[in-house]
């Protein structure tokens, strides 16, 4: 067997996080940063796993009982692939790494899952279709996030900008690349916990939360028009509106508001939480000059950020 690789991008959510879990639409984009998986044959029995970002090495084989570990979903998926494709999986060294900030809303779990499945697909020549790759990625996401909407795995697998609703993916095409600044609030978040908190709010006052979701849904549809007409000013204003609604869901933090305030001083068009909130990343749109200025100000405060472009697939 020959050594094989897989790689997958991360993602940011332009509009619709949380509402998407309740069946409303969302708009999300693949980003240039991503994750990698390398698989090499190994003369030793079993499988050696290296999770580089976590400086963790493990030794599990395909027949092991599922261990109690935050990496167990990789073994679950391998066991499922071995069963589904009737293949013997042994004597491997698997290394998984990511350039994405972990627990930040940039899809590091979906991205590393997708890179891993692609590497296995290449190593064993499984010839998975894109839809199958996406199903296995969603299977892995279930162990991490509980009840994922399917948005993260679909974005990292189908790429570009996607409109997603209830498992239906539509790629957006024919728009000019959008400059975007992705900022790390430095606070690791827990997607599962954020989803539970929103669920509690929904149970307390379903009418109020449904109203918020409906407003987010309308913003998302207006966002498509702004992208298609290359109107970054409207796109930014819509991001601000979506962020306000996420604030009403108690998903913002003082640090996030401080970062957004710095952005507002630089003439950007808008910014918002991206992903589950309660920390994690913020995205901003504006002219390339205003985003440069925003990044300069963040550099002075040692707040990490990445200037990148969102493009059609
Ligand atoms: C997480 O990146 C986005 C959420 O909407 C959860 C989901 O869609 O599964 C918070």
């Amino acid at each position: 067997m020959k050594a094989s690789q897989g790689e997958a991008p991360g993602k940011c959510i332009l509009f619709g996080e949380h509402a998407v879990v309740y069946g409303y639409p969302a708009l999300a984009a693949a980003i240039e940063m991503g994750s990698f998986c390398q698989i090499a044959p190994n003369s030793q029995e079993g499988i050696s796993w290296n999770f580089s970002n976590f400086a963790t090495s493990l030794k599990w084989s395909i027949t092991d009982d599922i261990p109690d570990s935050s990496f167990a979903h990789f073994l679950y998926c391998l066991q499922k692939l071995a069963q589904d494709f009737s293949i013997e999986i042994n004597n491997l060294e698997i290394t998984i790494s990511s350039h994405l900030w972990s627990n930040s809303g940039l899809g590091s779990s979906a991205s590393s899952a997708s890179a891993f499945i692609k590497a296995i697909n290449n190593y064993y020549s499984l010839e998975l279709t894109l839809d199958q790759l996406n199903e296995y990625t969603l299977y892995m996401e279930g162990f991490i996030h509980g009840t994922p909407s399917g948005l993260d795995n679909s974005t990292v697998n189908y790429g570009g900008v996607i409109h997603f609703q209830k498992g239906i993916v539509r790629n957006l095409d024919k728009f000019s690349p959008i400059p975007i600044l992705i900022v790390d609030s430095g606070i690791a978040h827990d997607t599962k916990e954020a989803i539970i908190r929103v669920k509690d709010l929904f149970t307390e006052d379903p009418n109020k939360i449904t109203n918020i979701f409906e407003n987010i849904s309308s913003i998302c549809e207006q966002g498509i028009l702004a992208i298609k007409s290359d109107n970054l000013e409207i796109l930014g204003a819509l991001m601000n509106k979506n962020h306000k609604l996420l604030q009403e869901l108690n998903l913002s933090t003082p640090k996030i508001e401080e970062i957004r305030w710095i952005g507002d001083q630089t003439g950007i068009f808008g910014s918002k939480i991206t992903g589950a909130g309660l920390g994690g990343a913020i995205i901003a749109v504006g002219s390339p000059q205003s985003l440069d200025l925003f990044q300069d100000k963040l550099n002075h405060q040692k707040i990490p950020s990445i200037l990148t472009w969102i493009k059609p697939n």
Side-chain angles (χ1 to χ4, degrees):
M1 290 282 195
K2 271 196 354 212
S4 302
Q5 287 86 34
E7 62 181 281
K11 67 99 194 13
C12 66
I13 300 178
L14 302 174
F15 300 106
E17 48 273 271
H18 287 288
V20 68
V21 175
Y22 294 76
Y24 295 91
L27 211 56
I31 57 173
E32 273 167 19
M33 276 189 295
S35 308
F36 304 87
C37 178
Q38 165 92 28
I39 300 186
N42 188 354
S43 54
Q44 286 179 22
E45 277 294 298
I47 303 163
S48 302
W49 302 76
N50 306 307
F51 297 97
S52 308
N53 293 58
F54 303 90
T56 300
S57 293
L58 299 164
K59 186 101 190 165
W60 295 328
S61 71
I62 197 81
T63 50
D64 281 353
D65 282 340
I66 298 298
D68 182 16
S69 157
S70 55
F71 303 111
H73 55 298
F74 288 94
L75 184 59
Y76 275 111
C77 185
L78 207 53
Q79 290 179 334
K80 186 164 170 51
L81 285 164
Q83 198 173 21
D84 292 354
F85 289 85
S86 307
I87 44 171
E88 252 187 53
I89 299 184
N90 198 4
N91 302 99
L92 295 182
E93 167 133 22
I94 302 179
T95 303
I96 296 154
S97 63
S98 184
H99 287 147
L100 297 161
W101 309 317
S102 62
N103 298 319
S104 69
L106 298 184
S108 61
S109 62
S111 170
S112 51
S114 170
F116 164 70
I117 298 161
K118 284 179 185 172
I120 293 287
N121 179 46
N122 293 338
Y123 194 85
Y124 290 103
S125 307
L126 301 181
E127 298 187 5
L128 291 176
T129 63
L130 191 52
D131 289 348
Q132 283 175 312
L133 166 69
N134 198 39
E135 276 161 29
Y136 283 107
T137 316
L138 177 61
Y139 174 74
M140 289 181 70
E141 283 282 275
F143 296 105
I144 304 282
H145 298 315
T147 51
S149 63
L151 175 63
D152 288 14
N153 52 285
S154 299
T155 313
V156 307
N157 285 322
Y158 294 100
V161 173
I162 67 161
H163 174 274
F164 177 96
Q165 187 168 19
K166 294 184 185 161
I168 312 254
V169 177
R170 222 164 20 99
N171 265 103
L172 255 68
D173 55 7
K174 298 196 190 100
F175 64 88
S176 305
I178 301 167
I180 191 159
L181 190 73
I182 306 175
V183 188
D184 184 7
S185 72
I187 306 160
H189 72 185
D190 181 339
T191 300
K192 209 170 183 172
E193 156 154 18
I195 291 175
I196 290 171
R197 288 217 204 171
V198 172
K199 192 171 172 205
D200 289 345
L201 288 180
F202 187 86
T203 311
E204 253 169 52
D205 195 340
N207 288 339
K208 180 178 163 197
I209 304 304
T210 299
N211 191 34
I212 291 178
F213 288 161
E214 279 170 1
N215 285 333
I216 291 177
S217 167
S218 146
I219 289 169
C220 181
E221 300 304 336
Q222 292 171 59
I224 297 176
L225 299 179
I227 291 176
K228 291 206 162 216
S229 57
D230 298 325
N231 195 329
L232 295 187
E233 272 179 68
I234 292 187
L235 189 66
L238 291 168
M239 280 187 180
N240 286 340
K241 275 192 179 174
N242 193 158
H243 182 81
K244 254 191 162 348
L245 293 162
L246 293 171
Q247 272 179 320
E248 286 180 35
L249 295 173
N250 299 335
L251 293 165
S252 193
T253 68
K255 188 71 194 176
I256 289 173
E257 294 312 316
E258 185 195 323
I259 291 170
R260 293 188 66 244
W261 182 84
I262 298 170
D264 288 344
Q265 311 310 303
T266 64
I268 59 165
F269 299 142
S271 65
K272 66 180 274 293
I273 286 170
T274 188
L278 296 177
I282 297 131
I283 50 169
V285 290
S287 63
Q289 295 78 2
S290 66
L291 294 180
D292 272 343
L293 189 58
F294 187 10
Q295 189 169 43
D296 274 353
K297 287 190 182 277
L298 293 169
N299 285 345
H300 278 119
Q301 302 206 22
K302 300 200 168 16
I303 298 174
S305 65
I306 290 153
L307 197 49
T308 185
W309 296 84
I310 284 171
K311 297 177 189 150
N313 209 353

PDB file of all heavy atoms in Angstrom, residues 41-49 58-64 88-93:
ATOM      1  N   PRO A  41       1.860   3.170   5.555  1.00  0.00           N
ATOM      2  CA  PRO A  41       1.898   1.782   6.038  1.00  0.00           C
ATOM      3  C   PRO A  41       2.871   1.677   7.210  1.00  0.00           C
ATOM      4  O   PRO A  41       3.838   2.434   7.279  1.00  0.00           O
ATOM      5  CB  PRO A  41       2.397   0.985   4.824  1.00  0.00           C
ATOM      6  CG  PRO A  41       2.898   1.968   3.843  1.00  0.00           C
ATOM      7  CD  PRO A  41       2.430   3.328   4.222  1.00  0.00           C
ATOM      8  N   ASN A  42       2.581   0.751   8.103  1.00  0.00           N
ATOM      9  CA  ASN A  42       3.377   0.619   9.315  1.00  0.00           C
ATOM     10  C   ASN A  42       3.576  -0.877   9.578  1.00  0.00           C
ATOM     11  O   ASN A  42       2.607  -1.639   9.538  1.00  0.00           O
ATOM     12  CB  ASN A  42       2.584   1.280  10.462  1.00  0.00           C
ATOM     13  CG  ASN A  42       3.367   1.380  11.745  1.00  0.00           C
ATOM     14  OD1 ASN A  42       4.471   0.856  11.832  1.00  0.00           O
ATOM     15  ND2 ASN A  42       2.789   2.028  12.732  1.00  0.00           N
ATOM     16  N   SER A  43       4.810  -1.292   9.851  1.00  0.00           N
ATOM     17  CA  SER A  43       5.035  -2.731  10.038  1.00  0.00           C
ATOM     18  C   SER A  43       4.450  -3.239  11.365  1.00  0.00           C
ATOM     19  O   SER A  43       4.168  -4.419  11.520  1.00  0.00           O
ATOM     20  CB  SER A  43       6.530  -3.045   9.962  1.00  0.00           C
ATOM     21  OG  SER A  43       7.196  -2.215  10.879  1.00  0.00           O
ATOM     22  N   GLN A  44       4.240  -2.307  12.311  1.00  0.00           N
ATOM     23  CA  GLN A  44       3.686  -2.746  13.606  1.00  0.00           C
ATOM     24  C   GLN A  44       2.190  -3.065  13.495  1.00  0.00           C
ATOM     25  O   GLN A  44       1.472  -2.385  12.757  1.00  0.00           O
ATOM     26  CB  GLN A  44       3.855  -1.628  14.637  1.00  0.00           C
ATOM     27  CG  GLN A  44       5.287  -1.494  15.106  1.00  0.00           C
ATOM     28  CD  GLN A  44       5.404  -0.357  16.117  1.00  0.00           C
ATOM     29  OE1 GLN A  44       4.428   0.037  16.744  1.00  0.00           O
ATOM     30  NE2 GLN A  44       6.604   0.154  16.258  1.00  0.00           N
ATOM     31  N   GLU A  45       1.777  -4.065  14.261  1.00  0.00           N
ATOM     32  CA  GLU A  45       0.354  -4.428  14.328  1.00  0.00           C
ATOM     33  C   GLU A  45      -0.478  -3.249  14.831  1.00  0.00           C
ATOM     34  O   GLU A  45       0.009  -2.450  15.639  1.00  0.00           O
ATOM     35  CB  GLU A  45       0.152  -5.584  15.316  1.00  0.00           C
ATOM     36  CG  GLU A  45       0.410  -6.958  14.755  1.00  0.00           C
ATOM     37  CD  GLU A  45      -0.590  -7.339  13.679  1.00  0.00           C
ATOM     38  OE1 GLU A  45      -1.790  -7.426  13.982  1.00  0.00           O
ATOM     39  OE2 GLU A  45      -0.149  -7.530  12.525  1.00  0.00           O
ATOM     40  N   GLY A  46      -1.729  -3.146  14.411  1.00  0.00           N
ATOM     41  CA  GLY A  46      -2.631  -2.113  14.931  1.00  0.00           C
ATOM     42  C   GLY A  46      -2.482  -0.800  14.177  1.00  0.00           C
ATOM     43  O   GLY A  46      -1.926  -0.753  13.075  1.00  0.00           O
ATOM     44  N   ILE A  47      -2.991   0.241  14.788  1.00  0.00           N
ATOM     45  CA  ILE A  47      -2.951   1.559  14.133  1.00  0.00           C
ATOM     46  C   ILE A  47      -2.368   2.580  15.106  1.00  0.00           C
ATOM     47  O   ILE A  47      -2.803   2.669  16.258  1.00  0.00           O
ATOM     48  CB  ILE A  47      -4.377   2.009  13.720  1.00  0.00           C
ATOM     49  CG1 ILE A  47      -5.002   0.941  12.797  1.00  0.00           C
ATOM     50  CG2 ILE A  47      -4.352   3.357  13.015  1.00  0.00           C
ATOM     51  CD1 ILE A  47      -6.501   1.053  12.659  1.00  0.00           C
ATOM     52  N   SER A  48      -1.349   3.306  14.629  1.00  0.00           N
ATOM     53  CA  SER A  48      -0.791   4.400  15.440  1.00  0.00           C
ATOM     54  C   SER A  48      -1.449   5.691  14.990  1.00  0.00           C
ATOM     55  O   SER A  48      -1.490   5.979  13.786  1.00  0.00           O
ATOM     56  CB  SER A  48       0.711   4.532  15.212  1.00  0.00           C
ATOM     57  OG  SER A  48       1.329   3.322  15.525  1.00  0.00           O
ATOM     58  N   TRP A  49      -1.964   6.436  15.927  1.00  0.00           N
ATOM     59  CA  TRP A  49      -2.675   7.696  15.616  1.00  0.00           C
ATOM     60  C   TRP A  49      -1.880   8.858  16.199  1.00  0.00           C
ATOM     61  O   TRP A  49      -1.519   8.836  17.380  1.00  0.00           O
ATOM     62  CB  TRP A  49      -4.056   7.705  16.269  1.00  0.00           C
ATOM     63  CG  TRP A  49      -4.964   6.582  15.889  1.00  0.00           C
ATOM     64  CD1 TRP A  49      -4.910   5.293  16.325  1.00  0.00           C
ATOM     65  CD2 TRP A  49      -6.096   6.654  15.006  1.00  0.00           C
ATOM     66  NE1 TRP A  49      -5.928   4.560  15.776  1.00  0.00           N
ATOM     67  CE2 TRP A  49      -6.679   5.369  14.963  1.00  0.00           C
ATOM     68  CE3 TRP A  49      -6.680   7.691  14.256  1.00  0.00           C
ATOM     69  CZ2 TRP A  49      -7.813   5.092  14.202  1.00  0.00           C
ATOM     70  CZ3 TRP A  49      -7.808   7.404  13.496  1.00  0.00           C
ATOM     71  CH2 TRP A  49      -8.357   6.119  13.462  1.00  0.00           C
ATOM     72  N   LEU A  58      -1.731   7.885  19.998  1.00  0.00           N
ATOM     73  CA  LEU A  58      -2.506   6.783  20.573  1.00  0.00           C
ATOM     74  C   LEU A  58      -2.283   5.529  19.754  1.00  0.00           C
ATOM     75  O   LEU A  58      -1.882   5.607  18.586  1.00  0.00           O
ATOM     76  CB  LEU A  58      -4.005   7.136  20.538  1.00  0.00           C
ATOM     77  CG  LEU A  58      -4.422   8.380  21.331  1.00  0.00           C
ATOM     78  CD1 LEU A  58      -5.807   8.845  20.896  1.00  0.00           C
ATOM     79  CD2 LEU A  58      -4.418   8.082  22.826  1.00  0.00           C
ATOM     80  N   LYS A  59      -2.583   4.403  20.360  1.00  0.00           N
ATOM     81  CA  LYS A  59      -2.456   3.134  19.635  1.00  0.00           C
ATOM     82  C   LYS A  59      -3.787   2.400  19.795  1.00  0.00           C
ATOM     83  O   LYS A  59      -4.110   1.933  20.895  1.00  0.00           O
ATOM     84  CB  LYS A  59      -1.296   2.343  20.277  1.00  0.00           C
ATOM     85  CG  LYS A  59      -0.937   1.097  19.580  1.00  0.00           C
ATOM     86  CD  LYS A  59       0.289   1.267  18.714  1.00  0.00           C
ATOM     87  CE  LYS A  59       0.384   0.006  17.882  1.00  0.00           C
ATOM     88  NZ  LYS A  59       1.221   0.031  16.784  1.00  0.00           N
ATOM     89  N   TRP A  60      -4.607   2.421  18.740  1.00  0.00           N
ATOM     90  CA  TRP A  60      -5.870   1.686  18.785  1.00  0.00           C
ATOM     91  C   TRP A  60      -5.912   0.805  17.555  1.00  0.00           C
ATOM     92  O   TRP A  60      -5.475   1.224  16.485  1.00  0.00           O
ATOM     93  CB  TRP A  60      -7.078   2.619  18.642  1.00  0.00           C
ATOM     94  CG  TRP A  60      -7.299   3.596  19.744  1.00  0.00           C
ATOM     95  CD1 TRP A  60      -7.006   3.438  21.055  1.00  0.00           C
ATOM     96  CD2 TRP A  60      -7.896   4.893  19.610  1.00  0.00           C
ATOM     97  NE1 TRP A  60      -7.387   4.551  21.761  1.00  0.00           N
ATOM     98  CE2 TRP A  60      -7.936   5.461  20.892  1.00  0.00           C
ATOM     99  CE3 TRP A  60      -8.410   5.617  18.549  1.00  0.00           C
ATOM    100  CZ2 TRP A  60      -8.456   6.718  21.151  1.00  0.00           C
ATOM    101  CZ3 TRP A  60      -8.928   6.866  18.784  1.00  0.00           C
ATOM    102  CH2 TRP A  60      -8.960   7.418  20.071  1.00  0.00           C
ATOM    103  N   SER A  61      -6.515  -0.373  17.683  1.00  0.00           N
ATOM    104  CA  SER A  61      -6.713  -1.144  16.460  1.00  0.00           C
ATOM    105  C   SER A  61      -8.205  -1.235  16.172  1.00  0.00           C
ATOM    106  O   SER A  61      -9.044  -0.923  17.010  1.00  0.00           O
ATOM    107  CB  SER A  61      -6.049  -2.511  16.579  1.00  0.00           C
ATOM    108  OG  SER A  61      -6.780  -3.287  17.472  1.00  0.00           O
ATOM    109  N   ILE A  62      -8.497  -1.674  14.985  1.00  0.00           N
ATOM    110  CA  ILE A  62      -9.875  -1.640  14.479  1.00  0.00           C
ATOM    111  C   ILE A  62     -10.817  -2.499  15.326  1.00  0.00           C
ATOM    112  O   ILE A  62     -12.006  -2.245  15.409  1.00  0.00           O
ATOM    113  CB  ILE A  62      -9.859  -2.067  12.981  1.00  0.00           C
ATOM    114  CG1 ILE A  62     -11.121  -1.675  12.269  1.00  0.00           C
ATOM    115  CG2 ILE A  62      -9.559  -3.523  12.799  1.00  0.00           C
ATOM    116  CD1 ILE A  62     -11.123  -0.264  11.856  1.00  0.00           C
ATOM    117  N   THR A  63     -10.265  -3.518  15.999  1.00  0.00           N
ATOM    118  CA  THR A  63     -11.122  -4.416  16.782  1.00  0.00           C
ATOM    119  C   THR A  63     -11.284  -3.950  18.233  1.00  0.00           C
ATOM    120  O   THR A  63     -11.996  -4.575  19.011  1.00  0.00           O
ATOM    121  CB  THR A  63     -10.519  -5.840  16.786  1.00  0.00           C
ATOM    122  OG1 THR A  63      -9.140  -5.722  17.143  1.00  0.00           O
ATOM    123  CG2 THR A  63     -10.655  -6.529  15.450  1.00  0.00           C
ATOM    124  N   ASP A  64     -10.617  -2.842  18.595  1.00  0.00           N
ATOM    125  CA  ASP A  64     -10.716  -2.363  19.980  1.00  0.00           C
ATOM    126  C   ASP A  64     -12.136  -1.912  20.305  1.00  0.00           C
ATOM    127  O   ASP A  64     -12.858  -1.425  19.437  1.00  0.00           O
ATOM    128  CB  ASP A  64      -9.781  -1.155  20.199  1.00  0.00           C
ATOM    129  CG  ASP A  64      -8.336  -1.599  20.398  1.00  0.00           C
ATOM    130  OD1 ASP A  64      -8.114  -2.815  20.493  1.00  0.00           O
ATOM    131  OD2 ASP A  64      -7.453  -0.720  20.436  1.00  0.00           O
ATOM    132  N   GLU A  88     -10.016  -5.019   5.434  1.00  0.00           N
ATOM    133  CA  GLU A  88      -9.234  -5.228   6.658  1.00  0.00           C
ATOM    134  C   GLU A  88      -8.354  -4.023   6.864  1.00  0.00           C
ATOM    135  O   GLU A  88      -7.609  -3.638   5.950  1.00  0.00           O
ATOM    136  CB  GLU A  88      -8.351  -6.455   6.477  1.00  0.00           C
ATOM    137  CG  GLU A  88      -8.845  -7.628   7.299  1.00  0.00           C
ATOM    138  CD  GLU A  88      -7.888  -8.769   7.241  1.00  0.00           C
ATOM    139  OE1 GLU A  88      -6.687  -8.558   7.536  1.00  0.00           O
ATOM    140  OE2 GLU A  88      -8.343  -9.865   6.874  1.00  0.00           O
ATOM    141  N   ILE A  89      -8.445  -3.402   8.026  1.00  0.00           N
ATOM    142  CA  ILE A  89      -7.654  -2.189   8.263  1.00  0.00           C
ATOM    143  C   ILE A  89      -6.675  -2.475   9.385  1.00  0.00           C
ATOM    144  O   ILE A  89      -7.085  -2.792  10.509  1.00  0.00           O
ATOM    145  CB  ILE A  89      -8.577  -0.990   8.587  1.00  0.00           C
ATOM    146  CG1 ILE A  89      -9.513  -0.708   7.397  1.00  0.00           C
ATOM    147  CG2 ILE A  89      -7.756   0.245   8.939  1.00  0.00           C
ATOM    148  CD1 ILE A  89     -10.406   0.502   7.523  1.00  0.00           C
ATOM    149  N   ASN A  90      -5.395  -2.412   9.046  1.00  0.00           N
ATOM    150  CA  ASN A  90      -4.353  -2.740  10.034  1.00  0.00           C
ATOM    151  C   ASN A  90      -3.029  -2.142   9.563  1.00  0.00           C
ATOM    152  O   ASN A  90      -2.926  -1.662   8.426  1.00  0.00           O
ATOM    153  CB  ASN A  90      -4.237  -4.267  10.154  1.00  0.00           C
ATOM    154  CG  ASN A  90      -3.524  -4.670  11.434  1.00  0.00           C
ATOM    155  OD1 ASN A  90      -3.175  -3.834  12.277  1.00  0.00           O
ATOM    156  ND2 ASN A  90      -3.277  -5.962  11.587  1.00  0.00           N
ATOM    157  N   ASN A  91      -2.030  -2.162  10.428  1.00  0.00           N
ATOM    158  CA  ASN A  91      -0.668  -1.726  10.073  1.00  0.00           C
ATOM    159  C   ASN A  91      -0.642  -0.325   9.449  1.00  0.00           C
ATOM    160  O   ASN A  91      -0.138  -0.141   8.324  1.00  0.00           O
ATOM    161  CB  ASN A  91      -0.021  -2.729   9.087  1.00  0.00           C
ATOM    162  CG  ASN A  91       0.027  -4.131   9.663  1.00  0.00           C
ATOM    163  OD1 ASN A  91      -0.822  -4.943   9.339  1.00  0.00           O
ATOM    164  ND2 ASN A  91       0.990  -4.388  10.520  1.00  0.00           N
ATOM    165  N   LEU A  92      -1.208   0.615  10.175  1.00  0.00           N
ATOM    166  CA  LEU A  92      -1.245   1.990   9.647  1.00  0.00           C
ATOM    167  C   LEU A  92      -0.662   2.969  10.645  1.00  0.00           C
ATOM    168  O   LEU A  92      -0.732   2.756  11.857  1.00  0.00           O
ATOM    169  CB  LEU A  92      -2.694   2.437   9.410  1.00  0.00           C
ATOM    170  CG  LEU A  92      -3.535   1.745   8.363  1.00  0.00           C
ATOM    171  CD1 LEU A  92      -4.899   2.421   8.301  1.00  0.00           C
ATOM    172  CD2 LEU A  92      -2.854   1.807   7.008  1.00  0.00           C
ATOM    173  N   GLU A  93      -0.110   4.056  10.093  1.00  0.00           N
ATOM    174  CA  GLU A  93       0.222   5.212  10.930  1.00  0.00           C
ATOM    175  C   GLU A  93      -0.589   6.380  10.366  1.00  0.00           C
ATOM    176  O   GLU A  93      -0.431   6.744   9.192  1.00  0.00           O
ATOM    177  CB  GLU A  93       1.733   5.496  10.855  1.00  0.00           C
ATOM    178  CG  GLU A  93       2.077   6.847  11.426  1.00  0.00           C
ATOM    179  CD  GLU A  93       3.259   6.809  12.378  1.00  0.00           C
ATOM    180  OE1 GLU A  93       4.052   5.859  12.288  1.00  0.00           O
ATOM    181  OE2 GLU A  93       3.365   7.752  13.184  1.00  0.00           O
TER     182      GLU A  93
END
